[in-house]
Every structure is written in C-alpha cells, then in structure tokens.
Amino acid sequence: MNDAAHDLHAPHFIGIGGAGMSGLAKILAVRGATVSGSDAKESETVRALRELGATVYVGHAAEHLPAGTSSVVVSSAIRADNPELVAAQERGVPVVHRSDALAALMGGRRALAVAGTHGKTTTTSMLAVSLGELGLEPSYAIGGDLDLPGSNAHHGAGEIFVAEADESDRSFHKYAPEVAIVLNVELDHHANYASMEEIYESFETFVGRIVPGGTLVVSADHEGARELTRRVAGREGLNVVTVGAAEDADVRVLSVAARGMTSEVTVELGGEQLAFTVSVPGRHYAHNAVAALAAGVALGVPADGLAKALGAYTGVKRRLQLKGEARGVQVIDSYAHHPTEMAADLEAIREAAGEARVLVVFQPHLFSRTQQLAEEMGRALALADGSVVLDIYPAREDPIPGVTAELIIDAARRAGADVRAEHEFAAAPAVLAALARPGDLVLTMGAGDVTNLGPEILAALADVAPAV
C-alpha cells in the first residue's frame, strides 16, 4: 500500500506505544502495511499492536530499524539523538512527522478535525462512538483509549475520518478538514508559544486549512474562541457555527441537568429544541457533546439520530474513568493537567459526589507549564476537600531552576486549600488510603504516570482501615 506523498507501506514508528503514534500504526497495519516500531517499555498497547502483526521492540537501538523500511515516523517528543532516528538519516530513509502521516491517512476521506486547548480527546471519542452507533463506520484517531488497549484508532469502511488535531506543536496545520471544531483557545504549551497572540495566529492558520465550503464549529462561551471567531469572520467559503450557552450561539445549550454520573442536555438547533443524555458527568462534557452534535450535523448527519447516539458514549480512559471501589471509597482517574481542565473535572465530580468528600492526588505535568500556571493550578485544587501534590512529571523537558511542585502547593494554600506535598511517588497510595473514609471520591489527576496509582490506592484501601 501507499499513502499520498509519503511512502507508508513499511513504516517504522519511534515511540510506537504513545497515544497518537499507536493509533496511526494500528490503522496502517489494518490497511496492510508492514509496521514496525520501538517503545521505551512493554505495555498493553504494544502487545495489542503485536496482535495486529506489527513488529515492536522494547528500547531504542539502531539495529531495530528493519531493512526495507519505507519511512520512519516520529513525533515532536523524539529527540534528535535517538539512535533509530540517527540510523534512518544515515541510511537515507525518509523521516515523516506523525501529523504528516495522519494527514496522509485522512486523504480521500471526509475529515472532521477536533482542536482546542482541552476537550479534544473526549469530543473526538464522542464522535467516533456515536457515528459508529449510526452505522456510518468512521475511521478515527484519538489521543486516548475508549475501552480496550488499541481502541484509540480504527480503520472504518465509511467515508468519514474523525481526528484529534494537536495544536501543541502546530502539527494541526497539516490537516485539511471539511469540518473543524475549536472547543477553546487558551495559553498553554509554553515551550512552543511565546504569547497568546502566537496561539491565535496558529489557530487562524488551522481554520484557514478548512476546505472551501467547509464548516468551523466553535465555542460561543470561551473568550479565546470568541476572539478567534472575530478574527476569521467573513472569510470566503467558510461556514461558522457557534455553540454554547451564550444567547448569540447558533446551537444554544438551554440546560444541563446533572443526574448522578450522567447529564440531561437540552439544546436549540435550527429553531427546534432537542433533548438527549450524556453518559458522563459534568457541564464541560455536555458542552463537548453539543459541539460534536453540531459538527455531525454539518457533515449531514441527522440531528435527532446523532443526539440519541451520543448517549452511547460512556467515556474514554483517563477522562473521569472509574477505576474501582474499596471500603466504600471510589477511585477515579482524570487526565486533567491544565488549570481549566482541573477545575472542570473537580466541579463535575463535586456535583456528582453530593455531600461526599473529594480528595485529589495531583501530579504536575511539565516544568514549563508549572512555571506559567502554578497559581491557577493551586486555585483549582482549592475546589477539592483535600489534595496531595506529587513532584513534577518532566516528560520531555529538562528541569527549570526554582520550578517545583511547591509553587502549586503555595498557591493552593493561599486559595484556602488543604494540601500537602508527597515527594515519594510509591508512598502516595498509603497516604491517600489513610486520608480517605467511606463515601469519599479520590481522583488521581495529571497527564503523567499518576494514573498508575489508581489500582495501588484501591489495594491500599483494602489493607488499611479508612479514616474516621
């Protein structure tokens, strides 16, 4: 097989186990490519790829690059001195960025790209599930697993391709969607954007990639999104549909009523009211569902059928995912790492929890993000009844002098939070188990390996008598 301008018949993925990379590898394997790759560690995702026929090595070494490799696929997280990347360059093997590979896979399909500082994975997942429920057999590439390992991507027989569009490294400039969603526009990714103006310019470029006659679905509630709408208004060949609770929204959210861990949503669309269920808690998830509804309608999907199908979405891994219950304490996993996401998830869980306490173990993600947003993160943690803050998860970054988790802890205390530091990652489960009492909800929160603590907290709860 071959895909557009890039030869992807025998691709090698460096970092194949990552959320974005593994999805592309899966689609290519299903399409018949000879897929290989490497990752830093063994994982369920790696094993799922092997079951599809991919050759996956653990660890990075030049000899892992197979003879006959047609191209090497990398993400922005891959360093220039990676031995497999160096070997590819020495052998003259073309190096393809993940976004270019995704753009090639989307070629010839009706592309729907979901962008925004946060909410992308959830909204893309909602569309993938609901369009599948309607029998439209979409292809999709998502930044997280829906249920099982490897469920972050699918090669469908239908004409629609739904993709999460990442703004962090400007890679979303590579896509040419028929419909694009912009959920919000906020300052983030400080290593790549020096100012809010640069972020606006980047999103304007993304909107400019929408095919002539295509549609931009954009929030009417977030000021950054409204500013983007003002900037692109009047562009020839661009249809703009605004969504939200604002009175001037084209698709207006009339109400979001909490029903435990679900929400009942009523919208006004095309002059008529439409009510449907969203099977995850929280106002922000309800608004994501409305954006998905508007985007589907822009592709020609009937609104009433799509609204009902959206109720089939029950969540994606790490987005308020229930990990289990022990001693009357529920443990829930949250990917939130930006202050807006943190506050939204905490507000959603607070609404669902009723009189129960909400406890959080938070792992800051990236030194640069902590440096810029520590104050806002601290204020978000004040929404919990108690918080334990771990050391910063560095991911791809080197430390920044003076930037530690203490910046967040100090800000949280100024906001009135009950917060404590825990520098020993392995000690956190016992700390949470000692704090929790029956009826509490415990959130593991952050974009790093804090997700691994959920099962350990449950095990610790089973061994330790709850606090009273």
Side-chain angles (χ1 to χ4, degrees), residues 116-118 120 166-169 186-193 199 335-342 362-378 392-400 403-405 407-408 446-448:
T117 311
H118 34 263
K120 296 184 291 292
D166 184 12
E167 82 285 354
S168 66
D169 56 0
E186 293 188 25
L187 185 60
D188 198 4
H189 313 298
H190 305 90
N192 294 321
Y193 293 102
I199 290 179
Y335 186 70
H337 52 281
H338 184 281
T340 303
E341 297 167 336
M342 293 165 63
F362 175 61
Q363 183 186 52
H365 187 258
L366 300 180
F367 294 100
S368 60
R369 183 177 287 123
T370 302
Q371 183 180 43
Q372 296 292 326
L373 299 174
E375 194 71 30
E376 292 87 345
M377 290 178 187
I392 296 170
Y393 185 82
R396 58 192 175 272
E397 289 187 345
D398 294 322
I400 297 173
V403 177
T404 70
L407 296 175
I408 299 169

Side-chain angles (χ1 to χ4, degrees), residues 392-434:
I392 296 170
Y393 185 82
R396 58 192 175 272
E397 289 187 345
D398 294 322
I400 297 173
V403 177
T404 70
E406 294 298 328
L407 296 175
I408 299 169
I409 292 168
D410 290 345
R413 286 175 176 153
R414 285 194 294 273
D418 178 3
V419 61
R420 67 196 70 189
E422 179 50 66
H423 301 294
E424 295 295 330
F425 187 86
V431 171
L432 268 298

Side-chain angles (χ1 to χ4, degrees), residues 39 68 84 111 130 141 150 159 167 173 204 320 339 378 405 439 447 449 459:
D39 206 55
E84 292 165 33
S130 57
E159 61 179 358
E167 82 285 354
H173 296 168
E204 285 184 75
L320 294 187
D449 57 2

Side-chain angles (χ1 to χ4, degrees), residues 211-241:
V211 300
T215 301
L216 169 65
V217 175
V218 59
S219 172
D221 297 331
H222 291 265
E223 181 50 40
R226 290 185 72 93
E227 172 61 21
L228 177 66
T229 302
R230 288 189 284 268
R231 290 177 178 229
V232 302
R235 286 193 181 183
E236 187 176 354
L238 177 66
N239 302 305
V240 178
V241 176

Side-chain angles (χ1 to χ4, degrees), residues 233-257:
R235 286 193 181 183
E236 187 176 354
L238 177 66
N239 302 305
V240 178
V241 176
T242 59
V243 298
E247 290 187 4
D248 60 351
D250 298 317
V251 179
R252 190 177 176 200
V253 180
L254 299 178
S255 66
V256 178

Side-chain angles (χ1 to χ4, degrees), residues 318 320 329-339 341-350 353 356-364 377-391 408-409 412 417-422 427-437 440-447 450-451 453-454 457:
R318 305 233 49 215
L320 294 187
V329 178
Q330 289 186 326
V331 178
I332 297 168
D333 195 26
S334 164
Y335 186 70
H337 52 281
H338 184 281
E341 297 167 336
M342 293 165 63
D345 274 8
L346 283 167
E347 287 168 356
I349 288 299
R350 167 70 65 207
R357 294 192 311 164
V358 176
L359 306 177
V360 179
V361 52
F362 175 61
Q363 183 186 52
M377 290 178 187
R379 287 201 296 268
L381 289 177
L383 296 170
D385 294 292
S387 300
V388 175
V389 178
L390 305 174
D391 289 343
I408 299 169
I409 292 168
D418 178 3
V419 61
R420 67 196 70 189
E422 179 50 66
V431 171
L432 268 298
L435 285 173
R437 57 182 184 240
D440 288 351
L441 287 85
V442 174
L443 265 69
T444 55
M445 179 176 281
V450 66
T451 182
L453 293 180
I457 293 170

Side-chain angles (χ1 to χ4, degrees), residues 12-294:
H12 181 81
F13 287 78
I14 304 176
I16 197 170
M21 298 283 272
S22 62
L24 303 188
K26 176 183 179 180
I27 292 173
L28 282 164
V30 173
R31 289 189 183 184
T34 302
V35 175
S36 66
S38 63
D39 206 55
K41 60 184 178 180
E42 194 72 35
S43 68
E44 291 183 355
T45 299
V46 164
R47 289 187 283 273
L49 287 168
R50 289 197 187 109
E51 290 179 6
L52 289 172
T55 300
V56 183
Y57 301 95
V58 174
H60 300 294
E63 56 266 29
H64 291 167
L65 188 65
T69 297
S70 63
S71 56
V72 169
V73 184
V74 299
S75 71
S76 298
I78 303 303
R79 295 181 182 250
D81 60 356
N82 181 283
E84 292 165 33
L85 178 57
V86 172
Q89 292 166 335
E90 290 175 348
R91 286 165 46 178
V93 178
V95 177
V96 178
H97 190 272
R98 181 190 65 83
S99 58
D100 289 304
L102 176 55
L105 293 179
M106 294 166 71
R109 304 292 181 108
R110 300 183 69 192
L112 197 165
V114 183
T117 311
H118 34 263
K120 296 184 291 292
T121 298
T122 298
T123 307
T124 310
S125 302
M126 287 175 167
L127 280 160
V129 170
S130 57
L131 294 173
E133 281 288 310
L134 294 173
L136 295 175
E137 298 188 55
S139 296
Y140 56 82
I142 306 170
D145 284 332
L146 290 172
D147 41 32
L148 301 173
S151 61
N152 58 332
H154 177 70
H155 169 64
E159 61 179 358
I160 298 173
F161 196 121
V162 185
E164 186 171 331
D166 184 12
E167 82 285 354
S168 66
D169 56 0
R170 296 177 172 83
S171 60
F172 67 164
H173 296 168
K174 306 289 180 64
Y175 314 135
E178 180 178 337
V179 177
I181 297 175
V182 174
L183 298 163
N184 35 62
V185 182
E186 293 188 25
L187 185 60
D188 198 4
H189 313 298
H190 305 90
N192 294 321
Y193 293 102
S195 66
M196 196 67 210
E197 182 59 31
E198 282 192 14
I199 290 179
Y200 283 131
E201 290 172 357
S202 187
F203 273 89
E204 285 184 75
T205 299
F206 170 66
V207 172
R209 296 283 297 163
I210 298 173
V211 300
T215 301
L216 169 65
V217 175
V218 59
S219 172
D221 297 331
H222 291 265
E223 181 50 40
R226 290 185 72 93
E227 172 61 21
L228 177 66
T229 302
R230 288 189 284 268
R231 290 177 178 229
V232 302
R235 286 193 181 183
E236 187 176 354
L238 177 66
N239 302 305
V240 178
V241 176
T242 59
V243 298
E247 290 187 4
D248 60 351
D250 298 317
V251 179
R252 190 177 176 200
V253 180
L254 299 178
S255 66
V256 178
R259 300 283 187 270
M261 293 295 282
T262 69
S263 298
E264 295 297 322
V265 185
T266 304
V267 300
E268 184 176 345
L269 187 154
E272 297 184 359
Q273 289 191 14
L274 185 63
F276 61 99
T277 300
V278 178
S279 300
V280 285
R283 183 171 296 273
H284 61 302
Y285 289 116
H287 281 244
N288 290 345
V290 175
L293 175 67

